[in-house]
Each structure stands twice: as C-alpha cells, then as structure tokens.
Amino acid sequence: MSGLGVSGLGVSRAAVGVHPAAVCDGGPLDCGGGLLIAIRRALGQLAPGQILEIRSEARSVAVDLPAWCEVAGHPLEGTANHGISTSYFVRKAG
C-alpha cells in the first residue's frame, strides 16, 4: 500500500501489508448519507477475498462501518488515518 508508511500518517497495525484491489472514495459521505450504497456497488465488482479501500472524511464512519461489516459479514482488516480522511480496508466475504 503505497504512502501508508510515510511519516505523519497514522496506520493501524492491521492495515500494514493490506493491498486493496479497488478504492471507494466517499469524501464527506457517511454511512447514512450514501456511503453504504457506494460500498455495496464497489464490493459487487470484487471477487470474494479481495480488499476494498474505503475512504471517508466523516467521523461517524469509524463507528458505523465496523458495525455494518459485522452484520454484512465482510471483515474489516484495518484502518489508516490521513489527516482529515480515514481509509478502511474491508475484505469481501465469500
């Protein structure tokens, strides 16, 4: 994952070594504001086991996305903070 090891970026241990197959950049969207629709569409393009990087500036995603992942059965592999944006790495269930 290029750029995640750069100084100044917060990377959770679980995100190190994770290589996304695709990126879903939600910008300011939160889960209730359309991000989940974009995530479902992006995951639909991936094969089981592939990882989707989801980027969001909305703080509520840090709580809502892990809960959705648990209910939907897609493992959350880790997160990485990039200033105002956070990346979430979700593995498509198979």
Side-chain angles (χ1 to χ4, degrees):
M1 207 167 11
S2 65
L4 290 183
V6 177
S7 177
L9 299 179
V11 179
S12 76
R13 284 182 157 177
V16 175
V18 176
H19 302 285
V23 176
C24 176
D25 192 342
L29 294 177
D30 62 11
C31 290
L35 183 59
L36 289 180
I37 293 168
I39 291 169
R40 282 188 223 132
R41 287 180 183 159
L43 283 171
Q45 302 300 309
L46 299 181
Q50 288 187 309
I51 294 176
L52 175 65
E53 178 181 353
I54 300 155
R55 297 177 185 161
S56 180
E57 298 168 9
R59 290 183 179 183
S60 62
V61 174
V63 174
D64 295 340
L65 186 63
W68 178 83
C69 287
E70 186 173 331
V71 169
H74 303 293
L76 178 61
E77 299 292 339
T79 63
N81 296 314
H82 313 283
I84 64 168
S85 182
T86 301
S87 289
Y88 303 87
F89 301 92
V90 175
R91 185 175 304 277
K92 182 176 179 177

